[in-house]
Amino acid sequence: MATERVQIGESHIKAAVKIAQSGEEPPGKIHIYSDTRTQGLRLVVQKNKASWVVKYREWSKVVGYAWPEDERPLKTASAARDLVPIVKGLLDEDPVQLEPFLVARHNGRDNKAAIAEMRPVLTTWTIRECFAHFIEARTAASAKKPIGTNYIEELNRTLRRPELSKVVDEPAALLKRGQLENIRDDVEQSSGVSPSLKALSNVKNVLTYCCTQQSGKSGLDHRDMWWNLVTSDKQVKARDRKPDISDIAKTLVLAAEYLHKPLPGRQDGKRGVRPNVFSAFTWLVLTCQRANAGLSLLRSDFYADERDDGWYLAAWDEGVMKAKKTHVLPIPPRVAQHLFPLLEAAKNPDSKWAFASERGTSKKDIHVNRSAPLALVGRLAAKNAHIKGGKEAAVDLLTANGISYWTPHDIRRALTDVMDASGIPGGSSAVLAHEIKLSERLGLDVLSEAQRKEWQSQRVAKITSLAYGNPQHLDLKKRAMKAWSDAVLDALEVAQAPQAVELQAAA
């Protein structure tokens, strides 16, 4: 190996390129031109290559080539000299950032732009991993502020949003303020203000938690919690939709019409409404529960009330309910009898859920998704139908039948009017779990088959005790549930009578 200390110039570069082009080894196998003008810069000539190398401390880093000309080319000594202080600085700060810088630099960026645009190689948590840690930590038995299933589903829904797809598997430490602002705006554009605010809030909550609890693993620095500066100047307008009881009943009739045939104008030939979704939809209509909580009902927690013939009890753990209180709801005999055929038609004997999803498997047992009942109304209203040939082929069955668009959540406002008319002003709060103070956890242990029968009998006794442990609330809820369900089912009987209402439906 021979080394020449020279101020590298054009003649030296030509000589180095000539040797590299020849394919022959230089004398001593390696010939080095060491630049006297810039400490650490070398032009290293070997067989087939003439490499620009920065020698700094224990590192020798190739930063470009005089030859071959198509591999990270550096044609002049001045261009190579300009890189030396930047390379040394990166090696001092974080050596793994050098390669991303060189990639950007040799993709046409100047030195300044390459530094600004480089994507450093990080081994800290991705955004997805930050979400996973947040959920794991906040559902641990020792969590100071545990989160429930509703919030977990909301977090996972945020992760699945297509607007996050480009960043969700990138290191959280690389997320930029502009990217988060774009996500906020894109979600608003595609889904509305409320989903946009929820997505923004979820990302901010996760980043803050990981920054304050796991700064090292997440790569987030408490000195620059910039995401807290990302806000929105939008607000969700309070909805005032309040469907008439007759509209609710006619919607049920329409939905039932398409359990066995496709919706008019649809090209897929599939039945318009799935039996399990229809039973879930009817359940929400008759109980006025929030979609996610209402559908998170275990089969084992819906059973006959031994203290009141014909009545049933439905119960939810405090972790499921938004109010974080155990909720027990009495189900009137008329409602139970109406629901039994629907539940049987949609039954999955292998599922633990009362309203099992058709997409569930033995390995992934899931209930009907909270969005399915909303989608049912949307399909009847042709809100998500495909447009072909510039014309909407699907029929808006709600408008065709004089029904104003509504969602299952709107029923909760209609409930209040029925309660007031029935002389039960506090009934809606009791049914909606706004004032129930029960806080004892129902518990759901992992049990063997041998323990299951004993567990079920104990659980039934426990739920019944909870329900009757506050007779005033139970009596109020029974009167409220009967008044509401009678109003809906009476209207349903009218809507089903051909002489009373003739609904427009596809043949």
Side-chain angles (χ1 to χ4, degrees):
M1 181 174 66
T3 301
E4 286 187 61
R5 290 185 56 79
V6 297
Q7 182 172 318
I8 300 174
E10 186 175 351
S11 63
H12 305 101
I13 296 173
K14 286 183 177 180
V17 169
K18 185 176 180 180
I19 295 172
Q21 284 178 318
S22 71
E24 298 178 0
E25 289 183 344
K29 295 188 178 181
I30 299 176
H31 189 87
I32 300 173
Y33 294 102
S34 181
D35 192 35
T36 57
R37 181 172 171 181
T38 303
Q39 185 177 1
L41 179 62
R42 296 178 172 188
L43 180 56
V44 179
V45 188
Q46 297 171 282
K47 184 179 179 179
N48 299 322
K49 284 188 182 291
S51 312
W52 292 101
V53 176
V54 174
K55 180 72 173 68
Y56 180 61
R57 295 182 178 175
E58 69 271 26
W59 294 289
S60 288
K61 295 292 185 180
V62 177
V63 297
Y65 297 92
W67 184 266
E69 60 183 359
D70 59 349
E71 186 176 347
R72 296 191 175 183
L74 279 177
K75 298 300 186 183
T76 65
S78 61
R81 290 187 183 106
D82 288 344
L83 288 176
V84 173
I86 298 172
V87 170
K88 290 180 178 180
L90 290 173
L91 291 174
D92 280 335
E93 183 177 345
D94 188 353
V96 298
Q97 295 189 20
L98 177 57
E99 179 61 19
F101 164 76
L102 293 174
V103 170
R105 176 64 180 77
H106 289 288
N107 279 327
R109 310 296 192 271
D110 60 26
N111 292 339
K112 183 177 180 180
I115 291 173
E117 295 181 20
M118 68 184 181
R119 302 291 284 178
V121 178
L122 295 182
T123 58
T124 51
W125 286 343
T126 63
I127 293 174
R128 188 187 303 278
E129 288 171 327
C130 285
F131 269 71
H133 172 73
F134 179 84
I135 292 172
E136 181 181 6
R138 295 288 296 275
T139 54
S142 58
K144 182 184 293 185
K145 295 182 179 179
I147 57 176
T149 55
N150 288 353
Y151 188 40
I152 294 171
E153 182 173 334
E154 179 64 43
L155 291 169
N156 287 325
R157 194 157 47 246
T158 294
L159 274 182
R160 292 193 298 269
R161 285 198 167 277
E163 295 84 1
L164 270 76
S165 60
K166 292 182 179 180
V167 302
V168 72
D169 291 312
E170 292 290 321
L174 294 184
L175 185 66
K176 305 296 183 185
R177 181 171 177 177
Q179 290 176 300
L180 185 53
E181 290 171 345
N182 288 339
I183 290 169
R184 174 201 63 197
D185 297 342
D186 291 346
V187 174
E188 180 183 339
Q189 179 101 23
S190 65
S191 305
V193 173
S194 180
S196 170
L197 295 178
K198 287 180 180 178
L200 177 60
S201 175
N202 291 339
V203 173
K204 291 169 65 174
N205 286 345
V206 168
L207 293 181
T208 297
Y209 184 87
C210 290
C211 179
T212 56
Q213 302 297 320
Q214 292 289 346
S215 177
K217 292 180 180 178
S218 68
L220 300 171
D221 191 340
H222 72 279
R223 293 169 297 183
D224 185 24
M225 297 172 68
W226 55 264
W227 52 88
N228 288 325
L229 299 176
V230 181
T231 59
S232 175
D233 63 351
K234 305 295 178 60
Q235 65 177 1
V236 180
K237 294 183 179 179
R239 291 178 178 172
D240 56 4
R241 284 194 304 248
K242 192 185 300 181
D244 292 334
I245 296 295
S246 61
D247 280 357
I248 294 171
K250 287 192 287 185
T251 304
L252 284 168
V253 173
L254 275 175
E257 176 78 16
Y258 294 96
L259 282 168
H260 305 290
K261 61 184 180 183
L263 291 164
R266 305 304 168 92
Q267 306 300 317
D268 56 13
K270 298 178 181 179
R271 65 175 76 182
V273 178
R274 306 300 298 177
N276 61 329
V277 175
F278 181 66
S279 64
F281 178 73
T282 305
W283 169 257
L284 295 181
V285 166
L286 291 171
T287 62
C288 300
Q289 298 304 295
R290 293 180 183 275
N292 193 68
L295 300 181
S296 300
L297 178 68
L298 295 168
R299 289 168 58 189
S300 56
D301 289 342
F302 180 52
Y303 66 95
D305 181 359
E306 295 180 355
R307 301 192 187 186
D308 201 341
D309 187 38
W311 283 79
Y312 279 69
L313 293 176
W316 293 267
D317 269 339
E318 60 187 44
V320 174
M321 305 303 294
K322 185 176 181 180
K324 306 299 182 187
K325 305 292 182 183
T326 300
H327 185 45
V328 183
L329 190 67
I331 307 300
R334 191 179 178 190
V335 172
Q337 293 306 312
H338 183 83
L339 283 170
F340 284 151
L342 304 181
L343 289 170
E344 189 61 32
K347 185 177 181 181
N348 179 351
D350 297 325
S351 176
K352 66 181 179 181
W353 301 107
F355 302 97
S357 170
E358 288 184 343
R359 298 179 180 178
T361 65
S362 58
K363 294 183 179 180
K364 188 177 182 181
D365 187 12
I366 56 177
H367 58 72
V368 173
N369 190 276
R370 64 189 293 272
S371 63
L374 174 61
L376 183 153
V377 182
R379 283 173 59 79
L380 293 177
K383 283 189 172 292
N384 300 314
H386 295 295
I387 298 175
K388 294 189 176 182
K391 294 183 179 180
E392 180 57 78
V395 177
D396 180 353
L397 292 169
L398 296 190
T399 299
N401 290 283
I403 303 171
S404 298
Y405 180 78
W406 60 280
T407 70
H409 196 80
D410 298 331
I411 291 177
R412 296 162 71 86
R413 286 184 287 275
L415 173 66
T416 302
D417 287 352
V418 172
M419 294 299 97
D420 290 344
S422 302
I424 316 173
S428 60
S429 292
V431 169
L432 301 178
H434 286 173
E435 294 185 354
I436 299 305
K437 302 301 182 183
L438 301 174
S439 60
E440 182 178 348
R441 291 186 64 85
L442 295 176
L444 180 58
D445 302 320
V446 179
L447 303 173
S448 67
E449 282 298 320
Q451 295 171 310
R452 196 159 298 279
K453 286 186 178 180
E454 177 63 22
W455 169 82
Q456 179 60 35
S457 64
Q458 291 179 2
R459 185 172 176 84
V460 166
K462 188 173 187 178
I463 294 172
T464 305
S465 176
L466 284 172
Y468 281 91
N470 194 327
Q472 182 180 359
H473 281 155
L474 185 65
D475 178 66
L476 180 61
K477 283 191 281 188
K478 281 192 170 185
R479 290 190 292 125
M481 279 295 296
K482 188 174 186 309
W484 168 255
S485 59
D486 280 348
V488 173
L489 293 175
D490 287 348
L492 183 59
E493 290 179 357
V494 172
Q496 289 171 327
Q499 68 274 21
V501 176
E502 183 178 349
L503 295 175
Q504 297 182 29

